[in-house]
Amino acid sequence: MSYLETTHDVYKEAALIPDVGLCCTTNPIWELPGLKIPRIMQEMNYGCGSTVHARDLTNNPKILYVGVGGGMELLQFSYFSRQENGVIGIDVVDEMLDASRKNFIEAEIQNDWFKSEFVDLKKGDALHLPVEDNSIDVAAQNCLFNIFKAEDLKKAIAEMYRVLKPHGRLVMSDPTCEQPMNDNLRNDERLRALCLSGSLPIDEYVKMLTDAGFGTIEIRARKPYRILDPKNYDTDELIYIESIEVAAIKDPMPTDGPCVFTGKAAIYYGDEEYFDDGLGHILLKNQPLAICDKTAAALQDLGRDDIYFSESTFHYDGGGCC
């Protein structure tokens, strides 16, 4: 049995019998005017963060969500795209698709604005998306891509890139881990299916995205997720796993490399009203400017003693240098 078959079986079981302890089901639920999330959807919230951000979802976008879970994020996306088939939900597990359809009926009862026809549920997998090229404004996945091994992950990211329109956004939440894991953990198919042993370091995760062609990367959140301890797992040391929320934007790749925002800022405090580096970056006096890591390095190389640079906060909320 391949690791993908093991993953299929894990989520088939989770569709038939909701598993509240699977992934991070304690994440806060969006509370928006007129939006009510059925309890069954909350119990089947098999993610490690949120991929729903209002600033990505203006003007009735066409949305793709891969790995439907119990339908909660599909319902949340529909809140911003109230049109027939405005949201496409794709899953390889028949039982999960069936569960989402049933949950949408309850969602219609609790939300007078929602119609099941807003969501187009399709069977398919992340490695072969049944979606046309350049047709999606916002694509999303939550706690899915970390399951894939390297070659499959490359295929999944390339598929998302293919279906996105120019300047479209791939919004993701996945576990990450900065510590090395032994081969026994890495090759444990069930731990990989449970979103644990496939966790990559953030730099590797980001590189997979930029290698696929995404010109802008935003790291929007980084938070605690899980512990693998020697008592319960095949490890000699405590392993700390975090989750991150990331947006990869299908911008053209800059000639000097991608713009990766990790939450750094620059503050100019010199004698003039502002500082202009001549490359499009203007720092107003004592006003922090969010900068990508590439711009931070270039400004630091100037060797000025009147610009302060913050460390990466791994929280970027827009308004940056690019």
Side-chain angles (χ1 to χ4, degrees):
M1 179 181 291
S2 74
Y3 81 98
L4 292 176
E5 290 174 315
T6 299
T7 300
H8 180 282
D9 290 346
V10 166
Y11 288 93
K12 174 182 176 180
E13 182 179 344
L16 296 172
I17 304 174
D19 184 352
V20 178
L22 185 66
C23 294
C24 199
T25 54
T26 56
N27 270 321
I29 307 300
W30 271 89
E31 295 184 8
L32 296 165
L35 173 62
K36 296 181 180 179
I37 308 293
R39 178 171 294 277
I40 184 62
M41 285 187 174
Q42 298 180 40
E43 293 175 351
M44 298 178 69
N45 175 22
Y46 303 138
C48 60
S50 178
T51 60
V52 183
H53 298 272
R55 70 176 181 270
D56 300 325
L57 302 170
T58 58
N59 300 318
N60 280 329
K62 187 75 171 182
I63 302 166
L64 169 68
Y65 188 69
V66 182
V68 301
M72 188 183 80
E73 286 189 89
L74 292 168
L75 174 62
Q76 293 172 334
F77 280 126
S78 295
Y79 184 90
F80 296 93
S81 186
R82 304 182 186 189
Q83 54 186 316
E84 184 175 359
N85 299 331
V87 181
I88 301 172
I90 293 177
D91 207 298
V92 73
V93 181
D94 289 321
E95 291 79 4
M96 200 65 81
L97 291 167
D98 290 340
S100 289
R101 290 188 183 97
K102 293 177 182 177
N103 293 346
F104 288 151
I105 295 173
E106 180 61 29
E108 285 185 335
I109 294 171
Q110 296 189 29
N111 296 272
D112 57 11
W113 58 267
F114 176 69
K115 298 178 181 178
S116 294
E117 65 192 43
F118 291 168
V119 182
D120 181 15
L121 289 173
K122 296 183 178 182
K123 183 171 183 178
D125 68 78
L127 308 182
H128 310 90
L129 294 173
V131 180
E132 295 179 359
D133 295 0
N134 304 308
S135 61
I136 299 297
D137 296 297
V138 177
Q141 65 83 20
N142 195 333
C143 215
L144 170 63
F145 279 12
N146 74 98
I147 293 173
F148 292 130
K149 294 183 179 180
E151 289 306 310
D152 288 335
L153 178 57
K154 289 180 183 178
K155 292 178 183 177
I157 294 172
E159 276 292 272
M160 290 292 212
Y161 188 89
R162 174 184 67 81
V163 303
L164 281 170
K165 297 176 182 178
H167 306 292
R169 299 178 176 222
L170 169 57
V171 187
M172 301 172 292
S173 179
D174 272 312
T176 63
C177 182
E178 300 303 314
Q179 296 170 252
M181 290 190 195
N182 62 52
D183 288 342
N184 288 344
L185 290 177
R186 288 293 187 195
N187 295 325
D188 188 312
E189 293 181 355
R190 184 167 179 83
L191 287 184
R192 185 172 284 273
L194 293 174
C195 303
L196 294 172
S197 63
S199 306
L200 295 175
I202 292 175
D203 285 349
E204 289 185 30
Y205 186 93
V206 169
K207 188 175 188 301
M208 296 288 278
L209 296 168
T210 56
D211 284 351
F214 288 100
T216 302
I217 309 294
E218 300 177 356
I219 297 182
R220 296 175 169 180
R222 179 180 181 179
K223 51 192 175 182
Y225 181 63
R226 290 287 192 272
I227 289 291
L228 302 183
D229 66 277
K231 291 181 181 180
N232 297 291
Y233 298 93
D234 186 6
T235 175
D236 294 329
E237 62 176 348
L238 203 69
I239 297 177
Y240 173 55
I241 300 176
E242 299 172 294
S243 69
I244 57 171
E245 296 176 11
V246 176
I249 303 173
K250 193 176 176 178
D251 288 338
M253 182 65 67
T255 56
D256 57 351
C259 295
V260 180
F261 289 89
T262 62
K264 291 183 177 179
I267 304 176
Y268 170 66
Y269 56 94
D271 296 329
E272 306 297 326
E273 290 186 10
Y274 63 89
F275 169 74
D276 184 349
D277 71 347
L279 298 173
H281 308 117
I282 297 177
L283 281 66
L284 300 178
K285 188 171 183 177
N286 270 325
Q287 297 294 317
L289 175 69
I291 52 175
C292 69
D293 291 5
K294 180 177 62 179
T295 297
L299 290 173
Q300 287 173 319
D301 285 345
L302 297 177
R304 297 183 66 97
D305 61 1
D306 54 5
I307 302 177
Y308 173 82
F309 299 93
S310 73
E311 298 295 329
S312 295
T313 63
F314 297 97
H315 177 83
Y316 174 71
D317 199 29
C321 61
C322 304

